[in-house]
Amino acid sequence: MKNSDLPSIAELLRQAHQRLKTVSDSPLLDAQLLLAHSLQKEISYLLAWQEVVPDLPQQTLFQGYLVQREQGIPVAYLLGCKEFWSLPFAVTPDVLIPRPETELLVEQVLEYCQTLEQARILELGTGSGAIAIALAKEIPNASITASDISSAALDIARKNAQTLNQQRIEFVLSDWFTAIPLNTFDIIVSNPPYIEAADEHLTGAIRHEPMTALVSGADGLDAIRVIISEAKAYLQNGGALMLEHGYKQGKQIRKLFAASGYKQARTIRDYAGNERVTTGIL
Ligand code: GLN
């Protein structure tokens, strides 16, 4: 096929935008991200060079991404990358894709750390390492341990720590607290699985993400119950437990904190106005 028979950037984007409308809330942006990635360029290049006709290997690569996106695979897995805390994190289907609202959890830890000389932080269920690595970057003198039950996830987290130059994080393979050394931490932070097993939102792109990172029992609170009750043995007196959770779970989680003897259980809302993070002080 001659290059002149192939579609231009403008035409490729127009077609892809149409095709992705049924699977994506952001069909044009998805098309732009995937085409830019296929051409190894920025999105700004696509806008400036709309008449350019990509070569056949680039077009084939792009069509391959489109087919996968049509099957519901999230853009972040196709690109192999997702930005969090303004840092580029490598992601694969072995890890949850970091969400923007989780930055709220990082902000809460940073705020609490202002009162500490040298914070000892434990992150449970680190996945891609997003939270631990963002914290390591912001608090250079903190000692940070990050765990996950999945060795494949820990491989990604370690790789991200290396690429993003935050190698002092200690990574531990652990089912919540089972392999955590009986240290005392000032802060334990987690974005655990918290979706109900029968939740109707478990359709679309999310079904390509690891279910162990998303779903936690009938009411979504199985992991959170374990973490709240077991964290006490690992927290310093006056230490803080900080958890992300579902938008309808704030009240139950404040109750769980109180029942386990934490003081000052406090819930913070995300930018969409939903209850998203609850913190308790031991
Ligand atoms: N916030 C994610 C979602 O609803 C869930 C993440 C989690 O379970 N920790 O897509």
PDB file of all heavy atoms in Angstrom, residues 175-176 190-199 202 210-227 244-246 249 252:
ATOM      1  N   ASP A 175       0.766 -10.444  53.417  1.00  0.00           N
ATOM      2  CA  ASP A 175      -0.689 -10.424  53.396  1.00  0.00           C
ATOM      3  C   ASP A 175      -1.118  -9.522  54.570  1.00  0.00           C
ATOM      4  O   ASP A 175      -1.117  -9.966  55.717  1.00  0.00           O
ATOM      5  CB  ASP A 175      -1.185 -11.865  53.566  1.00  0.00           C
ATOM      6  CG  ASP A 175      -2.699 -11.966  53.553  1.00  0.00           C
ATOM      7  OD1 ASP A 175      -3.380 -10.935  53.412  1.00  0.00           O
ATOM      8  OD2 ASP A 175      -3.197 -13.097  53.697  1.00  0.00           O
ATOM      9  N   TRP A 176      -1.400  -8.284  54.283  1.00  0.00           N
ATOM     10  CA  TRP A 176      -1.574  -7.232  55.301  1.00  0.00           C
ATOM     11  C   TRP A 176      -0.406  -7.275  56.280  1.00  0.00           C
ATOM     12  O   TRP A 176       0.712  -7.032  55.873  1.00  0.00           O
ATOM     13  CB  TRP A 176      -2.960  -7.289  55.955  1.00  0.00           C
ATOM     14  CG  TRP A 176      -4.061  -7.181  54.908  1.00  0.00           C
ATOM     15  CD1 TRP A 176      -5.124  -8.018  54.727  1.00  0.00           C
ATOM     16  CD2 TRP A 176      -4.174  -6.193  53.862  1.00  0.00           C
ATOM     17  NE1 TRP A 176      -5.875  -7.613  53.643  1.00  0.00           N
ATOM     18  CE2 TRP A 176      -5.321  -6.504  53.105  1.00  0.00           C
ATOM     19  CE3 TRP A 176      -3.419  -5.079  53.480  1.00  0.00           C
ATOM     20  CZ2 TRP A 176      -5.731  -5.746  51.996  1.00  0.00           C
ATOM     21  CZ3 TRP A 176      -3.816  -4.326  52.380  1.00  0.00           C
ATOM     22  CH2 TRP A 176      -4.949  -4.667  51.652  1.00  0.00           C
ATOM     23  N   SER A 190      -3.068   3.225  53.775  1.00  0.00           N
ATOM     24  CA  SER A 190      -3.448   2.212  52.788  1.00  0.00           C
ATOM     25  C   SER A 190      -4.621   2.660  51.922  1.00  0.00           C
ATOM     26  O   SER A 190      -5.538   3.327  52.399  1.00  0.00           O
ATOM     27  CB  SER A 190      -3.842   0.905  53.499  1.00  0.00           C
ATOM     28  OG  SER A 190      -4.080  -0.105  52.537  1.00  0.00           O
ATOM     29  N   ASN A 191      -4.537   2.270  50.658  1.00  0.00           N
ATOM     30  CA  ASN A 191      -5.694   2.336  49.764  1.00  0.00           C
ATOM     31  C   ASN A 191      -6.050   0.879  49.471  1.00  0.00           C
ATOM     32  O   ASN A 191      -5.649   0.319  48.460  1.00  0.00           O
ATOM     33  CB  ASN A 191      -5.330   3.083  48.475  1.00  0.00           C
ATOM     34  CG  ASN A 191      -6.443   3.006  47.443  1.00  0.00           C
ATOM     35  OD1 ASN A 191      -7.584   2.704  47.774  1.00  0.00           O
ATOM     36  ND2 ASN A 191      -6.114   3.256  46.185  1.00  0.00           N
ATOM     37  N   PRO A 192      -6.755   0.243  50.397  1.00  0.00           N
ATOM     38  CA  PRO A 192      -7.013  -1.197  50.264  1.00  0.00           C
ATOM     39  C   PRO A 192      -8.167  -1.449  49.304  1.00  0.00           C
ATOM     40  O   PRO A 192      -8.848  -0.513  48.888  1.00  0.00           O
ATOM     41  CB  PRO A 192      -7.418  -1.591  51.688  1.00  0.00           C
ATOM     42  CG  PRO A 192      -8.120  -0.368  52.200  1.00  0.00           C
ATOM     43  CD  PRO A 192      -7.429   0.816  51.561  1.00  0.00           C
ATOM     44  N   PRO A 193      -8.414  -2.720  48.958  1.00  0.00           N
ATOM     45  CA  PRO A 193      -9.644  -3.004  48.195  1.00  0.00           C
ATOM     46  C   PRO A 193     -10.846  -2.661  49.070  1.00  0.00           C
ATOM     47  O   PRO A 193     -10.837  -2.966  50.266  1.00  0.00           O
ATOM     48  CB  PRO A 193      -9.562  -4.511  47.945  1.00  0.00           C
ATOM     49  CG  PRO A 193      -8.625  -5.041  48.970  1.00  0.00           C
ATOM     50  CD  PRO A 193      -7.661  -3.939  49.274  1.00  0.00           C
ATOM     51  N   TYR A 194     -11.851  -2.020  48.497  1.00  0.00           N
ATOM     52  CA  TYR A 194     -13.013  -1.665  49.327  1.00  0.00           C
ATOM     53  C   TYR A 194     -14.344  -1.734  48.582  1.00  0.00           C
ATOM     54  O   TYR A 194     -15.366  -1.247  49.062  1.00  0.00           O
ATOM     55  CB  TYR A 194     -12.824  -0.281  49.967  1.00  0.00           C
ATOM     56  CG  TYR A 194     -12.506   0.868  49.021  1.00  0.00           C
ATOM     57  CD1 TYR A 194     -13.454   1.364  48.136  1.00  0.00           C
ATOM     58  CD2 TYR A 194     -11.257   1.491  49.058  1.00  0.00           C
ATOM     59  CE1 TYR A 194     -13.164   2.430  47.293  1.00  0.00           C
ATOM     60  CE2 TYR A 194     -10.956   2.554  48.222  1.00  0.00           C
ATOM     61  CZ  TYR A 194     -11.912   3.025  47.349  1.00  0.00           C
ATOM     62  OH  TYR A 194     -11.618   4.083  46.518  1.00  0.00           O
ATOM     63  N   ILE A 195     -14.344  -2.335  47.400  1.00  0.00           N
ATOM     64  CA  ILE A 195     -15.593  -2.424  46.637  1.00  0.00           C
ATOM     65  C   ILE A 195     -16.363  -3.681  47.061  1.00  0.00           C
ATOM     66  O   ILE A 195     -15.756  -4.726  47.339  1.00  0.00           O
ATOM     67  CB  ILE A 195     -15.282  -2.430  45.128  1.00  0.00           C
ATOM     68  CG1 ILE A 195     -14.606  -1.096  44.758  1.00  0.00           C
ATOM     69  CG2 ILE A 195     -16.547  -2.635  44.296  1.00  0.00           C
ATOM     70  CD1 ILE A 195     -14.214  -0.982  43.298  1.00  0.00           C
ATOM     71  N   GLU A 196     -17.683  -3.565  47.105  1.00  0.00           N
ATOM     72  CA  GLU A 196     -18.531  -4.716  47.458  1.00  0.00           C
ATOM     73  C   GLU A 196     -18.464  -5.758  46.343  1.00  0.00           C
ATOM     74  O   GLU A 196     -18.472  -5.397  45.166  1.00  0.00           O
ATOM     75  CB  GLU A 196     -19.989  -4.271  47.613  1.00  0.00           C
ATOM     76  CG  GLU A 196     -20.195  -3.309  48.751  1.00  0.00           C
ATOM     77  CD  GLU A 196     -21.603  -2.723  48.750  1.00  0.00           C
ATOM     78  OE1 GLU A 196     -22.492  -3.274  48.059  1.00  0.00           O
ATOM     79  OE2 GLU A 196     -21.792  -1.711  49.432  1.00  0.00           O
ATOM     80  N   ALA A 197     -18.463  -7.045  46.743  1.00  0.00           N
ATOM     81  CA  ALA A 197     -18.333  -8.128  45.758  1.00  0.00           C
ATOM     82  C   ALA A 197     -19.396  -8.039  44.663  1.00  0.00           C
ATOM     83  O   ALA A 197     -19.127  -8.323  43.497  1.00  0.00           O
ATOM     84  CB  ALA A 197     -18.397  -9.474  46.464  1.00  0.00           C
ATOM     85  N   ALA A 198     -20.603  -7.595  45.032  1.00  0.00           N
ATOM     86  CA  ALA A 198     -21.694  -7.579  44.045  1.00  0.00           C
ATOM     87  C   ALA A 198     -21.903  -6.187  43.436  1.00  0.00           C
ATOM     88  O   ALA A 198     -22.943  -5.930  42.818  1.00  0.00           O
ATOM     89  CB  ALA A 198     -22.979  -8.056  44.708  1.00  0.00           C
ATOM     90  N   ASP A 199     -20.914  -5.300  43.575  1.00  0.00           N
ATOM     91  CA  ASP A 199     -21.097  -3.921  43.110  1.00  0.00           C
ATOM     92  C   ASP A 199     -21.318  -3.857  41.597  1.00  0.00           C
ATOM     93  O   ASP A 199     -20.582  -4.465  40.821  1.00  0.00           O
ATOM     94  CB  ASP A 199     -19.863  -3.090  43.480  1.00  0.00           C
ATOM     95  CG  ASP A 199     -20.101  -1.599  43.298  1.00  0.00           C
ATOM     96  OD1 ASP A 199     -20.413  -1.174  42.167  1.00  0.00           O
ATOM     97  OD2 ASP A 199     -19.973  -0.866  44.293  1.00  0.00           O
ATOM     98  N   LEU A 202     -18.591  -2.836  38.809  1.00  0.00           N
ATOM     99  CA  LEU A 202     -17.472  -3.690  38.389  1.00  0.00           C
ATOM    100  C   LEU A 202     -17.628  -4.155  36.942  1.00  0.00           C
ATOM    101  O   LEU A 202     -17.476  -5.320  36.617  1.00  0.00           O
ATOM    102  CB  LEU A 202     -17.339  -4.897  39.326  1.00  0.00           C
ATOM    103  CG  LEU A 202     -16.860  -4.532  40.733  1.00  0.00           C
ATOM    104  CD1 LEU A 202     -17.001  -5.705  41.675  1.00  0.00           C
ATOM    105  CD2 LEU A 202     -15.426  -4.041  40.706  1.00  0.00           C
ATOM    106  N   PRO A 210      -6.715  -5.750  38.708  1.00  0.00           N
ATOM    107  CA  PRO A 210      -6.684  -6.918  39.606  1.00  0.00           C
ATOM    108  C   PRO A 210      -7.814  -6.858  40.638  1.00  0.00           C
ATOM    109  O   PRO A 210      -7.909  -5.897  41.396  1.00  0.00           O
ATOM    110  CB  PRO A 210      -5.315  -6.822  40.287  1.00  0.00           C
ATOM    111  CG  PRO A 210      -4.768  -5.480  39.975  1.00  0.00           C
ATOM    112  CD  PRO A 210      -5.501  -4.930  38.809  1.00  0.00           C
ATOM    113  N   MET A 211      -8.662  -7.889  40.656  1.00  0.00           N
ATOM    114  CA  MET A 211      -9.804  -7.898  41.584  1.00  0.00           C
ATOM    115  C   MET A 211      -9.345  -7.874  43.038  1.00  0.00           C
ATOM    116  O   MET A 211     -10.006  -7.301  43.898  1.00  0.00           O
ATOM    117  CB  MET A 211     -10.697  -9.117  41.331  1.00  0.00           C
ATOM    118  CG  MET A 211     -11.634  -8.936  40.162  1.00  0.00           C
ATOM    119  SD  MET A 211     -12.694  -7.474  40.361  1.00  0.00           S
ATOM    120  CE  MET A 211     -12.571  -6.750  38.728  1.00  0.00           C
ATOM    121  N   THR A 212      -8.180  -8.476  43.318  1.00  0.00           N
ATOM    122  CA  THR A 212      -7.688  -8.469  44.712  1.00  0.00           C
ATOM    123  C   THR A 212      -7.392  -7.048  45.186  1.00  0.00           C
ATOM    124  O   THR A 212      -7.353  -6.786  46.377  1.00  0.00           O
ATOM    125  CB  THR A 212      -6.383  -9.283  44.851  1.00  0.00           C
ATOM    126  OG1 THR A 212      -5.515  -8.894  43.792  1.00  0.00           O
ATOM    127  CG2 THR A 212      -6.642 -10.768  44.799  1.00  0.00           C
ATOM    128  N   ALA A 213      -7.171  -6.132  44.247  1.00  0.00           N
ATOM    129  CA  ALA A 213      -6.889  -4.737  44.629  1.00  0.00           C
ATOM    130  C   ALA A 213      -8.175  -3.932  44.753  1.00  0.00           C
ATOM    131  O   ALA A 213      -8.146  -2.786  45.206  1.00  0.00           O
ATOM    132  CB  ALA A 213      -5.968  -4.092  43.601  1.00  0.00           C
ATOM    133  N   LEU A 214      -9.298  -4.522  44.345  1.00  0.00           N
ATOM    134  CA  LEU A 214     -10.544  -3.751  44.277  1.00  0.00           C
ATOM    135  C   LEU A 214     -11.613  -4.233  45.247  1.00  0.00           C
ATOM    136  O   LEU A 214     -12.267  -3.430  45.916  1.00  0.00           O
ATOM    137  CB  LEU A 214     -11.116  -3.858  42.853  1.00  0.00           C
ATOM    138  CG  LEU A 214     -10.350  -3.115  41.764  1.00  0.00           C
ATOM    139  CD1 LEU A 214     -10.817  -3.588  40.393  1.00  0.00           C
ATOM    140  CD2 LEU A 214     -10.551  -1.616  41.898  1.00  0.00           C
ATOM    141  N   VAL A 215     -11.814  -5.559  45.275  1.00  0.00           N
ATOM    142  CA  VAL A 215     -13.004  -6.112  45.936  1.00  0.00           C
ATOM    143  C   VAL A 215     -12.624  -6.729  47.274  1.00  0.00           C
ATOM    144  O   VAL A 215     -11.605  -7.405  47.392  1.00  0.00           O
ATOM    145  CB  VAL A 215     -13.640  -7.188  45.023  1.00  0.00           C
ATOM    146  CG1 VAL A 215     -14.786  -7.884  45.734  1.00  0.00           C
ATOM    147  CG2 VAL A 215     -14.124  -6.545  43.736  1.00  0.00           C
ATOM    148  N   SER A 216     -13.473  -6.501  48.289  1.00  0.00           N
ATOM    149  CA  SER A 216     -13.158  -7.028  49.612  1.00  0.00           C
ATOM    150  C   SER A 216     -14.412  -7.455  50.368  1.00  0.00           C
ATOM    151  O   SER A 216     -14.910  -6.741  51.237  1.00  0.00           O
ATOM    152  CB  SER A 216     -12.374  -5.980  50.402  1.00  0.00           C
ATOM    153  OG  SER A 216     -11.747  -6.583  51.495  1.00  0.00           O
ATOM    154  N   GLY A 217     -14.943  -8.610  50.002  1.00  0.00           N
ATOM    155  CA  GLY A 217     -16.076  -9.180  50.731  1.00  0.00           C
ATOM    156  C   GLY A 217     -17.404  -8.551  50.369  1.00  0.00           C
ATOM    157  O   GLY A 217     -17.476  -7.621  49.557  1.00  0.00           O
ATOM    158  N   ALA A 218     -18.450  -9.059  51.007  1.00  0.00           N
ATOM    159  CA  ALA A 218     -19.815  -8.671  50.655  1.00  0.00           C
ATOM    160  C   ALA A 218     -20.058  -7.173  50.839  1.00  0.00           C
ATOM    161  O   ALA A 218     -20.699  -6.537  49.996  1.00  0.00           O
ATOM    162  CB  ALA A 218     -20.793  -9.479  51.491  1.00  0.00           C
ATOM    163  N   ASP A 219     -19.530  -6.592  51.928  1.00  0.00           N
ATOM    164  CA  ASP A 219     -19.771  -5.155  52.149  1.00  0.00           C
ATOM    165  C   ASP A 219     -18.553  -4.304  51.792  1.00  0.00           C
ATOM    166  O   ASP A 219     -18.538  -3.103  52.041  1.00  0.00           O
ATOM    167  CB  ASP A 219     -20.210  -4.902  53.596  1.00  0.00           C
ATOM    168  CG  ASP A 219     -19.104  -5.237  54.604  1.00  0.00           C
ATOM    169  OD1 ASP A 219     -18.038  -5.756  54.181  1.00  0.00           O
ATOM    170  OD2 ASP A 219     -19.308  -4.972  55.803  1.00  0.00           O
ATOM    171  N   GLY A 220     -17.534  -4.921  51.213  1.00  0.00           N
ATOM    172  CA  GLY A 220     -16.343  -4.174  50.788  1.00  0.00           C
ATOM    173  C   GLY A 220     -15.399  -3.831  51.933  1.00  0.00           C
ATOM    174  O   GLY A 220     -14.357  -3.211  51.721  1.00  0.00           O
ATOM    175  N   LEU A 221     -15.748  -4.246  53.155  1.00  0.00           N
ATOM    176  CA  LEU A 221     -14.980  -3.781  54.321  1.00  0.00           C
ATOM    177  C   LEU A 221     -14.084  -4.850  54.954  1.00  0.00           C
ATOM    178  O   LEU A 221     -13.468  -4.599  55.989  1.00  0.00           O
ATOM    179  CB  LEU A 221     -15.939  -3.219  55.385  1.00  0.00           C
ATOM    180  CG  LEU A 221     -16.645  -1.915  54.991  1.00  0.00           C
ATOM    181  CD1 LEU A 221     -17.705  -1.552  56.021  1.00  0.00           C
ATOM    182  CD2 LEU A 221     -15.637  -0.781  54.858  1.00  0.00           C
ATOM    183  N   ASP A 222     -13.990  -6.026  54.328  1.00  0.00           N
ATOM    184  CA  ASP A 222     -13.193  -7.103  54.941  1.00  0.00           C
ATOM    185  C   ASP A 222     -11.753  -6.661  55.219  1.00  0.00           C
ATOM    186  O   ASP A 222     -11.240  -6.830  56.322  1.00  0.00           O
ATOM    187  CB  ASP A 222     -13.164  -8.349  54.035  1.00  0.00           C
ATOM    188  CG  ASP A 222     -14.449  -9.170  54.133  1.00  0.00           C
ATOM    189  OD1 ASP A 222     -15.392  -8.711  54.838  1.00  0.00           O
ATOM    190  OD2 ASP A 222     -14.514 -10.250  53.513  1.00  0.00           O
ATOM    191  N   ALA A 223     -11.093  -6.111  54.210  1.00  0.00           N
ATOM    192  CA  ALA A 223      -9.690  -5.710  54.382  1.00  0.00           C
ATOM    193  C   ALA A 223      -9.584  -4.574  55.400  1.00  0.00           C
ATOM    194  O   ALA A 223      -8.706  -4.583  56.268  1.00  0.00           O
ATOM    195  CB  ALA A 223      -9.099  -5.269  53.045  1.00  0.00           C
ATOM    196  N   ILE A 224     -10.490  -3.628  55.307  1.00  0.00           N
ATOM    197  CA  ILE A 224     -10.438  -2.471  56.203  1.00  0.00           C
ATOM    198  C   ILE A 224     -10.614  -2.900  57.661  1.00  0.00           C
ATOM    199  O   ILE A 224      -9.936  -2.398  58.562  1.00  0.00           O
ATOM    200  CB  ILE A 224     -11.473  -1.412  55.740  1.00  0.00           C
ATOM    201  CG1 ILE A 224     -10.924  -0.746  54.470  1.00  0.00           C
ATOM    202  CG2 ILE A 224     -11.769  -0.386  56.843  1.00  0.00           C
ATOM    203  CD1 ILE A 224     -11.792   0.319  53.864  1.00  0.00           C
ATOM    204  N   ARG A 225     -11.496  -3.890  57.902  1.00  0.00           N
ATOM    205  CA  ARG A 225     -11.675  -4.391  59.282  1.00  0.00           C
ATOM    206  C   ARG A 225     -10.373  -4.977  59.821  1.00  0.00           C
ATOM    207  O   ARG A 225      -9.969  -4.694  60.945  1.00  0.00           O
ATOM    208  CB  ARG A 225     -12.794  -5.437  59.332  1.00  0.00           C
ATOM    209  CG  ARG A 225     -14.173  -4.819  59.568  1.00  0.00           C
ATOM    210  CD  ARG A 225     -15.223  -5.902  59.817  1.00  0.00           C
ATOM    211  NE  ARG A 225     -15.564  -6.583  58.582  1.00  0.00           N
ATOM    212  CZ  ARG A 225     -16.569  -6.211  57.780  1.00  0.00           C
ATOM    213  NH1 ARG A 225     -17.349  -5.205  58.106  1.00  0.00           N
ATOM    214  NH2 ARG A 225     -16.804  -6.860  56.659  1.00  0.00           N
ATOM    215  N   VAL A 226      -9.707  -5.789  58.975  1.00  0.00           N
ATOM    216  CA  VAL A 226      -8.433  -6.402  59.406  1.00  0.00           C
ATOM    217  C   VAL A 226      -7.406  -5.305  59.685  1.00  0.00           C
ATOM    218  O   VAL A 226      -6.721  -5.306  60.717  1.00  0.00           O
ATOM    219  CB  VAL A 226      -7.892  -7.364  58.314  1.00  0.00           C
ATOM    220  CG1 VAL A 226      -6.482  -7.822  58.625  1.00  0.00           C
ATOM    221  CG2 VAL A 226      -8.827  -8.552  58.149  1.00  0.00           C
ATOM    222  N   ILE A 227      -7.307  -4.363  58.788  1.00  0.00           N
ATOM    223  CA  ILE A 227      -6.279  -3.321  58.933  1.00  0.00           C
ATOM    224  C   ILE A 227      -6.533  -2.493  60.194  1.00  0.00           C
ATOM    225  O   ILE A 227      -5.617  -2.255  60.989  1.00  0.00           O
ATOM    226  CB  ILE A 227      -6.231  -2.425  57.672  1.00  0.00           C
ATOM    227  CG1 ILE A 227      -5.764  -3.250  56.466  1.00  0.00           C
ATOM    228  CG2 ILE A 227      -5.305  -1.235  57.891  1.00  0.00           C
ATOM    229  CD1 ILE A 227      -5.858  -2.531  55.134  1.00  0.00           C
ATOM    230  N   GLU A 244      -7.987   5.107  52.558  1.00  0.00           N
ATOM    231  CA  GLU A 244      -8.950   5.484  51.514  1.00  0.00           C
ATOM    232  C   GLU A 244     -10.105   4.482  51.577  1.00  0.00           C
ATOM    233  O   GLU A 244      -9.922   3.323  51.961  1.00  0.00           O
ATOM    234  CB  GLU A 244      -8.286   5.433  50.129  1.00  0.00           C
ATOM    235  CG  GLU A 244      -9.278   5.790  49.021  1.00  0.00           C
ATOM    236  CD  GLU A 244      -8.662   5.918  47.634  1.00  0.00           C
ATOM    237  OE1 GLU A 244      -7.531   6.432  47.523  1.00  0.00           O
ATOM    238  OE2 GLU A 244      -9.331   5.503  46.674  1.00  0.00           O
ATOM    239  N   HIS A 245     -11.303   4.930  51.179  1.00  0.00           N
ATOM    240  CA  HIS A 245     -12.459   4.028  51.197  1.00  0.00           C
ATOM    241  C   HIS A 245     -13.516   4.518  50.229  1.00  0.00           C
ATOM    242  O   HIS A 245     -13.391   5.595  49.617  1.00  0.00           O
ATOM    243  CB  HIS A 245     -13.017   3.920  52.620  1.00  0.00           C
ATOM    244  CG  HIS A 245     -13.332   5.242  53.243  1.00  0.00           C
ATOM    245  ND1 HIS A 245     -14.421   5.996  52.893  1.00  0.00           N
ATOM    246  CD2 HIS A 245     -12.654   5.955  54.172  1.00  0.00           C
ATOM    247  CE1 HIS A 245     -14.427   7.108  53.601  1.00  0.00           C
ATOM    248  NE2 HIS A 245     -13.363   7.125  54.375  1.00  0.00           N
ATOM    249  N   GLY A 246     -14.579   3.740  50.121  1.00  0.00           N
ATOM    250  CA  GLY A 246     -15.666   4.065  49.206  1.00  0.00           C
ATOM    251  C   GLY A 246     -16.491   5.244  49.705  1.00  0.00           C
ATOM    252  O   GLY A 246     -16.503   5.545  50.901  1.00  0.00           O
ATOM    253  N   GLN A 249     -18.824   4.685  52.677  1.00  0.00           N
ATOM    254  CA  GLN A 249     -18.322   3.890  53.805  1.00  0.00           C
ATOM    255  C   GLN A 249     -17.834   4.708  54.995  1.00  0.00           C
ATOM    256  O   GLN A 249     -17.454   4.147  56.025  1.00  0.00           O
ATOM    257  CB  GLN A 249     -17.185   2.967  53.327  1.00  0.00           C
ATOM    258  CG  GLN A 249     -17.649   1.908  52.338  1.00  0.00           C
ATOM    259  CD  GLN A 249     -16.504   1.147  51.705  1.00  0.00           C
ATOM    260  OE1 GLN A 249     -15.385   1.658  51.577  1.00  0.00           O
ATOM    261  NE2 GLN A 249     -16.761  -0.075  51.276  1.00  0.00           N
ATOM    262  N   GLN A 252     -19.400   4.004  58.575  1.00  0.00           N
ATOM    263  CA  GLN A 252     -19.050   2.681  59.120  1.00  0.00           C
ATOM    264  C   GLN A 252     -17.583   2.643  59.544  1.00  0.00           C
ATOM    265  O   GLN A 252     -17.231   2.016  60.540  1.00  0.00           O
ATOM    266  CB  GLN A 252     -19.254   1.601  58.058  1.00  0.00           C
ATOM    267  CG  GLN A 252     -20.687   1.195  57.853  1.00  0.00           C
ATOM    268  CD  GLN A 252     -20.813   0.472  56.523  1.00  0.00           C
ATOM    269  OE1 GLN A 252     -20.720   1.100  55.468  1.00  0.00           O
ATOM    270  NE2 GLN A 252     -20.998  -0.841  56.585  1.00  0.00           N
TER     271      GLN A 252
END
